[in-house]
Amino acid sequence: MRYIRYAFLAVIAVVLITLALANRSMVTLNLLPSELAQLVGIGYAITVPLFSVIFAAVVAGLLIGFFW
């Protein structure tokens, strides 16, 4: 049973690494839309790789699901 668990974790690791390598392009995340940011005066933006946004969304969804 332990070997099946390790094999499953290895498959998940390969899938996540493949996903990360396929989505290396940089994306810009804005705190607010540009019109609202100009109105309020807060224009915060950050540029990160796309795979980090995907992984963060998955982790956030898992955490919300666990605690809900």
Side-chain angles (χ1 to χ4, degrees), residues 3-62:
Y3 295 116
I4 294 172
R5 179 176 159 207
Y6 290 145
F8 181 71
L9 291 175
V11 168
I12 290 176
V14 168
V15 168
L16 290 176
I17 291 170
T18 304
L19 181 74
L21 290 175
N23 293 301
R24 290 181 292 165
S25 61
M26 300 299 278
V27 294
T28 302
L29 298 176
N30 295 315
L31 180 64
L32 297 171
S34 60
E35 295 84 13
L36 187 60
Q38 289 175 355
L39 180 65
V40 177
I42 301 173
Y44 182 72
I46 186 170
T47 303
V48 294
L50 180 60
F51 71 88
S52 64
V53 175
I54 294 170
F55 290 161
V58 169
V59 168
L62 285 172

